Amino acid sequence: MTTSKARPMLDELKKGPYPSFVKEIEKSAAKNEQAETLLDLLEDSYEEKRVHWKHGGIVGVRSYGGGVIGRYTDNPEKYPAVTEFHTMRVNQPSGWFYRSEDLRTLCDIWEKHGSGLTNMHGATGDIVFLGTTTDHLQDCFNDLSNAGYDLGGSGSDLRTPVCCVGPGRCEYACFDTLDFCYNVTQNYQSELHRPMWPYKSKIKISGCPNDCVSSKARADFSVIGTWRDGIIVDQKEVAAYADGGMDIQSLVCDYCPTNCIKYDGDKKEIKIDNGNCTRCMHCISAMPKALHVGKEKGATIMVGGKATIVQSAFLSWVIVPFMPMNKENDYEEFKDFIEKAWDWWDENAKVRERIGELIYRKGMAEFLKAVELDPIPQMVNHPRENPYYFWYPEDFEAEQAKKMEVAE
Amino acid sequence: MISQYAPTDIGPPHYWDRMPKMSQDNYGQWQYHEKVKPGVLKHVGPAGALYTVRAASPRLLSIETLRWFADLAEKYCDGNLRFTSRHNVEFLTSHEENVEPLIAELEAEGWPVGGTGKSLKNLIHTQGWVHCHSAATDASGTVKAVMDELFDYFKRDDLPAKLKISMACCLNMCGAVHCSDIAFVGVHRKIPRVMDDAVANACEIPNIIAACPTGAIRPNPKAKSVTINEEKCMYCGNCFSVCPSMPIADPEHDGVAVFVGGKVSDSRTGPAFSKLVIPFIPNEPPRWDSLVAAIKNLVEIWVNNARKGERYGEWVERIGWEKFFELANLPFTDKHIDDFTFSLKTFRTSAQFKFTDK
């Protein structure tokens, strides 16, 4: 194989200070014909300003419906080596932690079975093996499985859950995101591998409201670490920040959304009205040595986030303000909740309707009934502004029962 | 006999043995962190300090590079490394003396260290022309061109706040770029071509109809296919995703749109969607000069005008969008006024606004 062919468009993108993806493809092209052909196809895409890929055609490994995405060039005569060029999604370890030998194992498997090109990582969080042929899929899976790896999700299934670095390297972690992610992923293996739902469903797990995995913006179920008691203040460290020249009033206090943090410049002390704190994380992120998340920790469960397609992008909204995240009971409360939500969605959704869109179409009241939760003000920014609401027979029955009670 | 099929449903490998010893020893007990310099973090717990050296990657990585990362991890970090949600590679070591030699070796090979604190973060992006069927532009190429131009902002951490720029190559927005400080998105501008015979053979008509956000698609029973109402279609390409026989790519008319002002974290103001500022920039491979210039302008007006601590959207909300368009020297058009499902809340319902010169 040769990489000496002139590719003036791609050559332009080998220049400049930012790492070049063209050089990456060339490194694999030196050993792999598919990667070499990819360069030719890509050069043509750059010339013609258009894609040369087709989707569709079910491919996969035995017993799974997801984890492999079929990909074919639209011009197999011109680019025969990438007639089939499928993606395999490999479930990443929690927090994307690797030992060097893990990377070598993955590289050896992918050298044997595919193009040698990867994404570290895909948008959902999987290790992405980019480009192989149908006849390699099962063998590649076998080698992965024997090395302790499994495929992630694709299609209308549970997509690979993902979490932030959490207690592995962050003092903000309000629960064990790494363990929770591992536990939930192991618990829902069948949902992950066998698409049987109206559309995809995503779980993303952040250890604090900074939300480093963008859970609120893209997960149907956003698990966001939080605390119920107060921010812990180390006044000695507050003074140290002041002595170091930090303008605590303007950089910390003035940005507080609820105006609940006060700085006494004479004493160099901070006072927080924790009952009015909404735990936005600004002050803690600004002064990580002086301010710490509270002690009574757990998670806020939010529902409905998704990207644009179909009804518009949604941000997840609060459903459970505080859920303890107990390893001891195997996160039973969360599993109980999500299973009720999935059942209701699976029963009621149209094809390609995410759970957020279904709740929007059917109304929050119906969803809350399905998951057996009472409405509370934390779920909304403000109450309804119109007088168009429903009454149900059970409302009148309750009224009647109350009257009887009073009469007695 | 060895089975032809390896075990299924074993799930991901466990994380514990893949963490550095310092992470195991400080697990859940971290006390604080320091931003040592751009690209270097120091996390401290009772057992000691863990240093992180963060280098940008273009996400598309060959196994040759991954093996070299493994070499570096063995040489400097007792074999430990991780990746981030923005495609950085992070080398993790408790040996402070290894930090500078590691940075030197990374940078000598062209792997820039930076992207921590108040810096431009590594760009996140999608597959583009490298591997996607629905891409309206390339992902890796546009990102490379933009990052080459904005490179200094990745290497310094004295910006008003962190700056997250994200790229998606079509409206599917894999990676959810819709809540970024600056997002650029591949867009189509012509309706899909309905290949009746192929639709009849290969596609589920109800699925196509359900995929359309605007109800623009009707059944065409005669052809066992569908028709598209040109006036209602806004070229999202979702029908093409469910039916490959409705191609939408159009080299003449495809390009990129730019949105600004989104964020995900709850810090101060809560999460927000990015808003449209440039409806269309043509595809100009290989370097997308107009796109790069537009994004550079958007970054510079924020760097030069925002207060310390203000994310992009927080700054724009403070000065007002009318002021922003004046400052950015961008035309405001019919495309900028929302006419989709949730448009009403975006209309100004008070007489409080600022006058601008244009």
Side-chain angles (χ1 to χ4, degrees):
Chain A
M1 276 161 271
T2 163
T3 52
S4 61
K5 215 175 281 180
R7 301 185 188 100
M9 286 282 200
L10 295 186
D11 285 345
E12 268 303 310
L13 291 169
K14 285 153 71 177
K15 302 169 189 167
Y18 186 72
S20 168
F21 70 100
V22 176
K23 288 186 190 170
E24 291 301 304
I25 303 175
E26 285 187 349
K27 283 181 201 169
S28 286
K31 292 184 181 172
N32 181 280
E33 193 190 355
Q34 285 199 302
E36 167 88 24
T37 304
L38 175 63
L39 286 167
D40 294 335
L41 175 149
L42 200 54
E43 179 72 16
D44 290 346
S45 279
Y46 270 64
E47 287 287 349
E48 301 159 20
K49 303 186 193 179
R50 59 165 301 143
V51 288
H52 281 295
W53 298 107
K54 287 193 307 186
H55 59 304
I58 306 288
V59 286
V61 301
R62 198 177 84 133
S63 141
Y64 287 2
V68 181
I69 295 104
R71 191 69 66 207
Y72 312 83
T73 179
D74 64 352
N75 194 344
E77 290 77 32
K78 192 166 183 196
Y79 318 110
V82 293
T83 301
E84 297 167 344
F85 200 58
H86 311 314
T87 295
M88 298 182 83
R89 291 185 182 161
V90 182
N91 199 154
Q92 81 290 352
S94 281
W96 300 288
F97 281 107
Y98 297 92
R99 298 274 313 154
S100 54
E101 57 265 28
D102 302 323
L103 282 192
R104 294 190 198 285
T105 301
L106 289 165
C107 290
D108 291 347
I109 293 171
W110 193 227
E111 180 163 45
K112 188 170 151 194
H113 293 295
S115 69
L117 292 169
T118 73
N119 288 152
M120 298 298 276
H121 295 74
T124 298
D126 299 283
I127 302 156
V128 172
F129 279 180
L130 205 63
T132 190
T133 54
T134 309
D135 58 350
H136 270 289
L137 294 173
Q138 186 65 45
D139 291 341
C140 187
F141 172 79
N142 291 349
D143 283 354
L144 283 166
S145 172
N146 290 329
Y149 291 86
D150 201 341
L151 297 187
S154 70
S156 295
D157 65 8
L158 171 62
R159 298 300 180 87
T160 310
V162 68
C163 66
C164 69
V165 71
R169 200 198 55 194
C170 185
E171 69 270 24
Y172 304 155
C174 292
F175 67 100
D176 191 339
T177 56
L178 301 171
D179 182 70
F180 178 76
C181 185
Y182 180 79
N183 183 309
V184 166
T185 309
Q186 290 289 358
N187 197 62
Y188 296 114
Q189 281 291 296
S190 199
E191 287 80 357
L192 182 69
H193 294 307
R194 295 170 191 90
M196 51 192 164
W197 281 334
Y199 201 14
K200 64 180 113 176
S201 185
K202 297 187 174 185
I203 305 172
K204 294 191 192 293
I205 303 142
S206 285
C208 84
N210 279 341
D211 195 3
C212 285
V213 294
S214 302
S215 179
K216 282 167 268 172
R218 57 203 190 118
D220 300 273
F221 297 91
S222 308
V223 185
I224 310 287
T226 195
W227 65 95
R228 292 192 71 128
D229 53 350
I231 291 174
I232 298 165
V233 185
D234 182 339
Q235 301 291 6
K236 258 201 317 214
E237 292 293 343
V238 173
Y241 276 108
D243 294 340
M246 183 186 236
D247 183 351
I248 293 173
Q249 181 59 44
S250 75
L251 291 182
V252 182
C253 302
D254 291 352
Y255 276 117
C256 175
T258 61
N259 199 17
C260 73
I261 182 166
K262 296 272 180 285
Y263 177 60
D264 182 333
D266 296 330
K267 289 188 190 156
K268 294 180 189 170
E269 281 183 5
I270 270 175
K271 219 172 144 185
I272 298 172
D273 169 12
N274 279 296
N276 283 308
C277 169
T278 50
R279 302 167 313 284
C280 85
M281 291 297 293
H282 172 78
C283 61
I284 296 176
S285 299
M287 311 174 78
K289 280 188 182 172
L291 305 178
H292 306 280
V293 300
K295 287 201 169 103
E296 195 188 344
K297 298 174 197 170
T300 299
I301 311 299
M302 304 170 76
V303 172
K306 56 180 283 296
T308 306
I309 301 291
V310 177
Q311 284 274 315
S312 278
F314 288 10
L315 286 159
S316 291
W317 57 86
V318 173
I319 294 294
V320 183
F322 187 84
M323 188 183 277
M325 286 280 130
N326 287 334
K327 281 187 211 195
E328 293 70 32
N329 75 1
D330 209 27
Y331 309 106
E332 198 183 333
E333 201 178 329
F334 177 82
K335 289 172 186 167
D336 182 52
F337 166 76
I338 201 169
E339 285 168 23
K340 280 183 201 150
W342 276 336
D343 281 348
W344 177 76
W345 170 59
D346 196 21
E347 192 90 342
N348 291 285
K350 298 189 279 195
V351 177
R352 282 173 93 73
E353 189 173 43
R354 300 276 288 269
I355 193 166
E357 288 161 317
L358 177 65
I359 295 171
Y360 181 64
R361 177 163 66 84
K362 289 268 203 185
M364 273 272 272
E366 280 215 31
F367 174 69
L368 293 179
K369 271 182 207 162
V371 294
E372 295 170 36
L373 288 173
D374 291 328
I376 48 170
Q378 281 82 358
M379 293 170 177
V380 295
N381 289 326
H382 57 74
R384 178 195 296 273
E385 291 173 326
N386 59 64
Y388 298 160
Y389 41 90
F390 295 100
W391 293 97
Y392 303 97
E394 53 264 36
D395 293 320
F396 299 116
E397 282 158 24
E399 250 174 48
Q400 194 57 33
K402 206 157 189 193
K403 270 185 204 159
M404 301 288 281
E405 213 174 277
V406 172
E408 274 167 26
Chain B
M1 198 184 101
I2 298 166
S3 167
Q4 194 184 340
Y5 302 105
T8 61
D9 300 284
I10 63 169
H14 200 266
Y15 54 92
W16 184 261
D17 291 337
R18 291 170 168 77
M19 287 193 299
K21 174 132 194 328
M22 190 59 80
S23 283
Q24 295 172 347
D25 292 346
N26 281 329
Y27 198 77
Q29 303 179 73
W30 298 98
Q31 291 155 332
Y32 65 90
H33 71 277
E34 286 172 8
K35 296 170 181 112
V36 179
K37 63 182 216 175
V40 182
L41 301 170
K42 177 187 179 183
H43 287 84
V44 179
L50 180 73
Y51 291 86
T52 297
V53 174
R54 178 180 293 176
S57 103
R59 186 175 87 140
L60 179 59
L61 294 170
S62 82
I63 54 175
E64 310 307 323
T65 296
L66 293 178
R67 283 171 176 148
W68 181 67
F69 287 166
D71 293 343
L72 288 181
E74 282 161 13
K75 190 167 169 189
Y76 297 109
C77 306
D78 303 313
N80 293 303
L81 75 171
R82 68 179 290 266
F83 293 82
T84 74
S85 58
R86 299 188 76 83
H87 318 313
N88 301 286
V89 57
E90 288 186 338
F91 294 90
L92 308 168
T93 181
S94 44
H95 310 296
E96 186 182 0
E97 68 279 11
N98 285 356
V99 169
E100 287 304 325
L102 169 59
I103 293 172
E105 196 163 341
L106 279 164
E107 300 226 308
E109 290 293 319
W111 296 87
V113 172
T116 53
K118 292 178 168 54
S119 66
L120 167 63
K121 308 294 180 179
N122 195 27
L123 262 66
I124 57 166
H125 61 93
T126 54
Q127 300 290 15
W129 292 337
V130 170
H131 208 239
C132 186
H133 59 280
S134 65
T137 187
D138 189 35
S140 299
T142 52
V143 164
K144 165 79 174 142
V146 168
M147 273 308 263
D148 278 342
E149 183 65 36
L150 299 180
F151 190 70
D152 286 346
Y153 294 116
F154 177 79
K155 300 285 298 174
R156 53 187 258 209
D157 61 357
D158 59 349
L159 306 185
K162 67 176 74 167
L163 175 63
K164 292 184 173 179
I165 305 183
S166 309
M167 191 283 160
C169 55
C170 83
L171 299 195
N172 273 325
M173 295 202 199
C174 302
V177 308
H178 55 277
C179 292
S180 301
D181 294 295
I182 299 177
F184 55 102
V185 181
V187 291
H188 302 288
R189 296 189 298 160
K190 289 280 184 176
I191 69 168
R193 300 173 291 285
V194 182
M195 298 154 75
D196 282 332
D197 290 348
V199 171
N201 282 333
C203 301
E204 303 267 349
I205 306 290
N207 284 359
I208 304 175
I209 290 166
C212 181
T214 61
I217 301 178
R218 290 258 163 87
N220 175 2
K222 227 173 164 185
K224 290 181 181 157
S225 176
V226 295
T227 55
I228 300 177
N229 181 343
E230 199 160 343
E231 283 174 16
K232 282 188 174 177
C233 173
M234 43 62 182
Y235 339 107
C236 73
N238 199 33
C239 55
F240 173 58
S241 281
V242 301
C243 175
S245 310
M246 300 175 69
I248 189 168
D250 182 339
E252 279 280 296
H253 298 97
D254 291 347
V256 183
V258 183
F259 294 69
V260 306
K263 74 194 263 287
V264 174
S265 89
D266 269 339
S267 269
R268 304 169 299 278
T269 48
F273 293 122
S274 315
K275 281 99 180 156
L276 178 70
V277 291
I278 305 175
F280 183 74
I281 299 171
N283 277 328
E284 296 166 336
R287 282 266 165 202
W288 277 270
D289 297 321
S290 304
L291 171 69
V292 170
I295 289 179
K296 192 180 180 203
N297 174 46
L298 290 170
V299 172
E300 281 174 353
I301 56 170
W302 170 70
V303 170
N304 295 334
N305 290 284
R307 289 179 186 160
K308 210 171 170 187
E310 280 179 332
R311 289 278 295 268
Y312 207 104
E314 293 171 316
W315 165 64
V316 180
E317 290 294 338
R318 177 171 60 79
I319 64 168
W321 286 94
E322 67 274 34
K323 275 279 174 200
F324 169 82
F325 274 86
E326 183 180 55
L327 205 55
N329 195 23
L330 289 171
F332 192 85
T333 71
D334 59 327
K335 312 286 184 278
H336 292 94
I337 299 183
D338 194 352
D339 50 15
F340 196 55
T341 318
F342 305 101
S343 64
L344 194 63
K345 67 174 184 174
T346 69
F347 303 161
R348 192 187 300 267
T349 50
S350 104
Q352 293 182 21
F353 55 82
K354 297 175 183 175
F355 288 104
T356 50
D357 287 338
K358 38 171 248 172

